[in-house]
Amino acid sequence: MGAQEERSGDRQRFDVADAAPLLLDARGVVTSWTRGAERLLGRPASEVVGTGVAGLLVPTDAARVPELAQRCLHDDGWAGLLTARRGDGGQVPVMARVTPAVEPGGADRWLVLLSDLRGAPGWDMSRTVLETMLTRSPVGIAVVDTELRFVWSNPALTRFGGGPPGQRLGRRLAEVQPGVDVDGIEAQMRRVLATGEPVIGYEHVGRLRSAPHRETAHVLSFTRLEDERGCPTGVYYTVVDVTERHRARQRLALLDRAGERIGRTLDIEGTAQELSDVAVPDFADLVTVDLLEWVLRGAEPVPVPPGEPAAPVLRRAGQRSVDPDGAPGGTAPGSGDDGDDGVSDDGCGDVVEAASVEVGTEVGYLDGSPPLHTLASGRAWRRERLDPAATEWASRAPGGHAATFRELGLHSAMVVPIRARGVTLGVTTFFRRGRQDPFDAGDLHLAGDLVSRAAVCVDNARRYTRERNAALALQRSLLPRRLPEQDAVEVTACYRPADELTGLGGDWYDLIPLSGARVALVVGEVPGHGIDASAAMGRLRTAVRTLAALDLPPDEVLAHLDDLVGTAAQQEGVRPDPAGDSYGDSMRAVGSGCVYVVYDPVDGRCAMAAAGHPAPAVVRPDGGVGFVELPQGPPLGAGGPPFESVELTLAAGSTLVLHTDGLLADGEGEDGGAGRERLRAALERTTGSFDSRCGAVIDALIPAHPHDDVALLMARTRLLGADQVADWELASDPAIVAVARKAAARQLTAWDLEELAFTTELVVSELVTNAMRHAAGPIRLRLIRDRALICEVSDGGATAPHLRHPRTTDEGGRGLLLVSQFTQRWGTRFSPEGKVIWAEQSLSGPPD
């Protein structure tokens, strides 16, 4: 094996009792063999004396003998490790020390001392070697006695503070390093002294006297020292600076927390606040996040025309300070030198506003200030040391106090752009005021990583806000913003989507005024959720309003609606997806449910029909609750038997409750009967104002996060008074036209509506005349005073009159043209007995 060697100048005196001596002549021949050598190598003197020393070594070491002989002559000796061969064929590692021995005869002789290294820890180094290792070691090493006072330390420990080794002698750690966590370190020393168990890897973080402006981290290890009797004599400990590793670990931990905590929601301001919360207090003492206004609105970047100066509007989106009473708002760096870190340095000596700024408030920065410079250039800005006397760089109200950095305690700052997908969204400003170490280049890179992660989340939230605003605008355009004013029913409605993020769903409700003071009440639902369901719902609602304008019975309205849905789906060639999804709004509409109700306040009659939809509930004036026995037609577009209508008469003060099936389901698969009973109980115990009952019923029946969209429409019925309706049976006689005009005029006088007499007489004359000329059966005239004056003429005919534009030479055909010009609206509706032609005159003036 290769020899480990010691130079002759480092030799120590050898204890003969621990070594086996032998003598060699100048040629390397053994001339003297001792019993110690015989015991060590298992060879008698008769076998060894007179042979060369090379024969005692393994071949690799035997080949080195000539070289070692030359070194002995040159260096006056040699020491090192060799492997000798025993007489039994075994091998033994030995420490060989060769020194010259001069005999009286004057011939050169060499004394060789062999030490057995079997079971030994290693080379028995001299004191000089050990001292060289300790004094030149880059690791701080010290020895304290049982009173924890320094008795020895190496020069490397000076780098950790406390002065040179001579100044430490006899002093304790608290005396040489005031401010350090002495209690924790000395507790470890006492533990080692008491137990004898070493402590490895004890980490200490703090500020040392040698580096008061920088937080440092060290790893210490402690070992007990003992005398030959095993009694403790002190503690030997080492110190290693691991500050960079500690800071790297802190930065990784910060980025890990940022990944967990930033972007947990799709709220722009919430994400900006999360960025501030993550960075304080571990990285900075004050953080402000300012975003461009269009970002907070969820809009797209606004292009600036060439040649026009940009006037960005920044708003505070998030801020956090170590001060529990609130933070100064966006301060930022002023004058001073910053390092050569590759970031921009505009040389600006001004500073940002330091007054507290509320989230959502506009922040006006001065031209050329670091935030605006960073916003325009997209490059970060850093100042290691701020000018203590510098004041604000943001505009402030006249007379306001401009706080300096000295007053705020801020001394170091960075401004980092918030950029995502190549667009700058705002700026984030970091400050330090409580800690002493300024921001360095590594901190700037960490801030860039931190803000980059947040920037993607902010942009995702912005894009989501844009899409959600568009979806909500669609939803608001599809659902009625407010229900029309009318006197037939008192209404309240409530809509709660299952998709809380978008607020979109396929359920809908509507109230449609009809002729004759009647109203149509509609509630429906489209399968699915989200924007596709909302679009399909919008198409259905538009179709229902169009069909309602024809004044058709409920079953015919649903029949036409069913044809529209089925035909549209066939024409678009859509089909259900095998996975359960569907394609196209028309396909979404297939399987929709709807209930259509027509209520007449003149006599309280109510007609309704349903297509795959729950039947309405009725709350009687006395508070009792029942459900209409309504035949269930097939869902829209699904095909099946024809729809059927039912009619019933409702007392004044009754409440019709129309709802989607989401109100009856609790998410646990209960049947419709159980859902009805829960609805009955909720309606019976709901009190308070009528407007509040709708929301109270939904709150009582569905969870906070519903499994399905819910729409609820409650309509409390009213009846027109007998003094609001007048009707006459008319004979089929041309002379009766004049009688009808006079009867209408007298009624208008009784109602104090004489100003409408001329128009009403004209309408009555034309409609009655048309009925006598073109229809058969009894003729009936009815006047209704509601929000409008309604004139109705009914007959037994099945054909509707048509508006014509007569030529100048025509002698007739101008009746309905005059009616359309003098009234607000007119039309025709059919009944089992015939038809009704009606016209309305507003009692509240012309519409806006």
Side-chain angles (χ1 to χ4, degrees):
M1 60 181 289
Q4 299 183 16
E5 304 167 5
E6 176 185 300
R7 298 180 54 133
S8 61
D10 294 332
R11 295 197 302 264
Q12 65 174 14
R13 293 183 180 273
F14 306 125
D15 188 351
V16 179
D18 295 333
L22 62 143
L23 287 175
L24 304 177
D25 62 12
R27 298 175 301 167
V29 176
V30 178
T31 60
S32 177
W33 189 256
T34 62
R35 291 187 177 181
E38 183 177 343
R39 288 193 301 269
L40 176 62
L41 298 183
R43 296 174 182 268
S46 59
E47 179 183 339
V48 178
V49 174
T51 63
V53 71
L56 302 177
L57 303 175
V58 297
T60 55
D61 285 347
R64 298 181 64 239
V65 169
E67 174 194 354
L68 297 179
Q70 292 298 322
R71 296 183 62 177
C72 287
L73 294 173
H74 181 270
D75 296 333
D76 200 24
W78 175 85
L81 298 177
L82 296 172
T83 302
R85 297 191 303 171
R86 287 178 52 83
D88 57 6
Q91 298 179 358
V92 56
V94 295
M95 177 66 187
R97 295 177 177 86
V98 182
T99 58
V102 181
E103 295 183 346
D108 291 336
R109 294 288 185 271
W110 299 93
L111 173 64
V112 180
L113 297 176
L114 301 178
S115 298
D116 189 356
L117 294 184
R118 289 177 298 183
W123 186 12
D124 185 12
M125 293 178 289
S126 67
R127 176 187 177 91
T128 304
V129 174
L130 291 174
E131 287 182 351
T132 301
M133 292 174 57
L134 293 176
T135 55
R136 295 182 181 179
S137 172
V139 177
I141 304 174
V143 177
V144 297
D145 59 16
T146 55
E147 298 298 325
L148 306 185
R149 298 184 181 277
F150 285 97
V151 296
W152 180 87
S153 62
N154 70 340
L157 196 64
T158 306
R159 298 197 310 271
F160 302 98
Q167 295 182 6
R168 293 174 179 269
L169 293 178
R171 304 173 69 184
R172 294 182 60 171
L173 184 60
E175 300 175 68
V176 299
Q177 286 283 21
V180 176
D181 180 19
V182 175
D183 294 339
I185 296 176
E186 290 191 345
Q188 299 299 322
M189 295 181 181
R190 293 190 181 93
R191 172 186 170 189
V192 171
L193 283 172
T195 64
E197 297 179 359
V199 173
I200 308 298
Y202 175 77
E203 186 168 335
H204 170 267
V205 179
R207 301 182 188 275
L208 302 179
R209 174 179 288 182
S210 59
H213 302 301
R214 182 172 180 264
E215 188 178 69
T216 56
H218 302 90
V219 171
L220 297 88
S221 297
F222 306 90
T223 304
R224 187 172 78 175
L225 299 177
E226 301 173 350
D227 58 18
E228 62 276 3
R229 295 173 298 175
C231 297
T233 60
V235 174
Y236 162 88
Y237 73 89
T238 61
V239 184
V240 179
D241 190 340
V242 293
T243 301
E244 292 305 318
R245 186 175 68 186
H246 172 73
R247 296 187 68 183
R249 190 167 62 244
Q250 284 185 318
R251 290 170 176 173
L252 289 176
L254 179 62
L255 292 176
D256 185 59
R257 288 197 305 273
E260 293 178 354
R261 297 173 55 185
I262 297 178
R264 293 177 296 181
T265 66
L266 288 173
D267 179 75
I268 299 176
E269 291 184 353
T271 302
Q273 187 60 46
E274 288 167 353
L275 170 59
S276 303
D277 294 342
V278 165
V280 176
D282 294 336
F283 181 65
D285 300 303
L286 170 63
V287 175
T288 64
V289 180
D290 300 322
L291 296 176
L292 290 165
E293 187 176 34
W294 59 264
V295 176
L296 292 170
R297 291 188 284 105
E300 291 295 323
V302 180
V304 178
E308 294 187 11
V313 178
L314 286 169
R315 293 190 179 274
R316 182 60 43 81
Q319 60 186 6
R320 180 69 182 273
S321 170
V322 293
D323 184 1
D325 297 328
T331 48
S335 62
D337 294 329
D338 66 329
D340 183 11
D341 48 28
V343 298
S344 64
D345 186 352
D346 56 7
C348 177
D350 296 327
V351 270
V352 187
E353 74 171 322
S356 179
V357 177
E358 295 183 358
V359 171
T361 303
E362 180 178 343
V363 183
Y365 292 109
L366 296 177
D367 292 339
S369 60
L372 292 187
H373 179 78
T374 297
L375 192 67
S377 66
R379 299 184 63 197
W381 186 98
R382 176 173 67 90
R383 190 76 74 205
E384 288 189 1
R385 293 292 177 184
L386 299 172
D387 180 5
T391 55
E392 308 169 22
W393 64 19
S395 58
R396 133 185 321 274
H401 172 63
T404 65
F405 279 137
R406 179 182 291 108
E407 294 172 335
L408 297 170
L410 303 174
H411 62 82
S412 186
M414 298 184 297
V415 183
V416 180
I418 304 174
R419 290 180 58 82
R421 300 176 175 93
V423 178
T424 301
L425 309 177
V427 293
T428 302
T429 310
F430 301 86
F431 296 94
R432 282 181 179 170
R433 60 179 181 178
R435 61 183 75 188
Q436 295 299 318
D437 48 326
F439 290 117
D440 57 20
D443 292 325
L444 184 66
H445 291 306
L446 175 60
D449 291 341
L450 192 65
V451 174
S452 295
R453 295 191 179 198
V456 175
C457 298
V458 168
D459 194 51
N460 288 339
R462 177 192 67 83
R463 293 155 67 94
Y464 164 75
T465 300
R466 180 193 63 190
E467 297 301 326
R468 185 173 186 271
N469 289 342
L472 290 179
L474 172 64
Q475 182 80 348
R476 286 192 295 267
S477 67
L478 297 178
L479 287 175
R481 296 186 180 182
R482 61 179 182 179
L483 297 175
E485 295 182 359
Q486 39 73 46
D487 292 332
V489 291
E490 179 183 2
V491 293
T492 179
C494 188
Y495 171 74
R496 187 167 300 177
D499 189 346
E500 295 182 346
L501 289 178
T502 63
L504 298 175
D507 290 12
W508 54 285
Y509 59 86
D510 207 349
L511 183 148
I512 308 170
L514 302 177
S515 64
R518 300 169 306 132
V519 292
L521 305 171
V522 192
V523 167
E525 60 181 323
V526 173
H529 312 287
I531 194 168
D532 291 338
S534 293
M537 174 268 288
R539 296 180 66 173
L540 280 182
R541 178 171 176 259
T542 301
V544 169
R545 294 187 71 88
T546 301
L547 293 171
L550 300 178
D551 256 331
L552 300 175
D555 55 337
E556 294 187 27
V557 170
L558 295 184
H560 285 294
L561 193 62
D562 178 72
D563 290 339
L564 288 174
V565 171
T567 302
Q570 292 177 0
Q571 290 176 347
E572 293 180 10
V574 295
R575 55 182 178 79
D577 182 30
D581 200 357
S582 56
Y583 306 98
D585 294 342
S586 297
M587 198 66 240
R588 287 281 184 181
V590 173
S592 300
C594 180
V595 60
Y596 187 87
V597 180
V598 175
Y599 173 71
D600 190 342
V602 174
D603 53 12
R605 286 191 301 175
C606 181
M608 64 185 70
H613 199 85
V618 177
V619 182
R620 296 183 293 272
D622 61 2
V625 178
F627 292 89
V628 179
E629 295 298 328
L630 180 62
Q632 282 295 311
L636 298 175
F643 301 99
E644 298 182 43
S645 293
V646 297
E647 290 192 6
L648 63 155
T649 301
L650 299 177
S654 300
T655 301
L656 272 169
V657 181
L658 284 69
H659 59 86
T660 55
D661 57 6
L663 188 67
L664 302 181
D666 63 353
E668 299 178 358
E670 68 176 9
D671 57 24
R676 277 191 172 191
E677 291 306 314
R678 292 193 306 111
L679 175 59
R680 184 196 304 274
L683 292 172
E684 289 177 345
R685 63 173 176 265
T686 301
T687 58
S689 66
F690 186 71
D691 289 338
S692 66
R693 292 183 182 181
C694 202
V697 170
I698 289 184
D699 291 338
L701 292 181
I702 67 173
H705 303 287
H707 303 281
D708 193 8
D709 305 325
V710 176
L712 177 62
L713 176 67
M714 300 178 67
R716 185 158 56 189
T717 61
R718 298 169 176 159
L719 287 177
L720 299 182
D723 58 342
Q724 294 181 269
V725 180
D727 58 354
W728 299 269
E729 291 282 351
L730 302 178
S732 184
D733 184 354
I736 204 65
V737 175
V739 176
R741 286 199 303 265
K742 293 180 180 179
R746 288 194 299 269
Q747 187 61 52
L748 293 181
T749 301
W751 286 341
D752 294 328
L753 298 177
E754 291 91 343
E755 68 276 9
L756 300 180
F758 174 78
T759 302
T760 304
E761 289 184 24
L762 173 64
V763 170
V764 169
S765 177
E766 293 298 334
L767 296 185
V768 172
T769 300
N770 280 340
M772 287 189 298
R773 287 181 178 179
H774 305 291
I779 301 174
R780 189 178 187 87
L781 170 65
R782 183 169 71 168
L783 296 181
I784 302 174
R785 180 173 58 86
D786 189 30
R787 292 178 177 267
L789 177 63
I790 304 169
C791 177
E792 296 182 345
V793 175
S794 58
D795 57 54
T799 58
H802 298 283
L803 183 66
R804 293 195 305 130
H805 294 276
R807 293 172 296 182
T808 305
T809 56
D810 290 345
E811 297 182 358
R814 296 179 177 83
L816 289 180
L817 179 62
L818 293 175
V819 171
S820 67
Q821 294 297 317
F822 281 95
T823 60
Q824 186 176 4
R825 61 177 188 148
W826 73 279
T828 303
R829 70 173 183 269
F830 293 90
S831 65
E833 296 80 18
K835 68 177 182 295
V836 177
I837 304 176
W838 54 270
E840 291 183 3
Q841 301 175 71
S842 174
L843 298 182
S844 56
D848 295 338

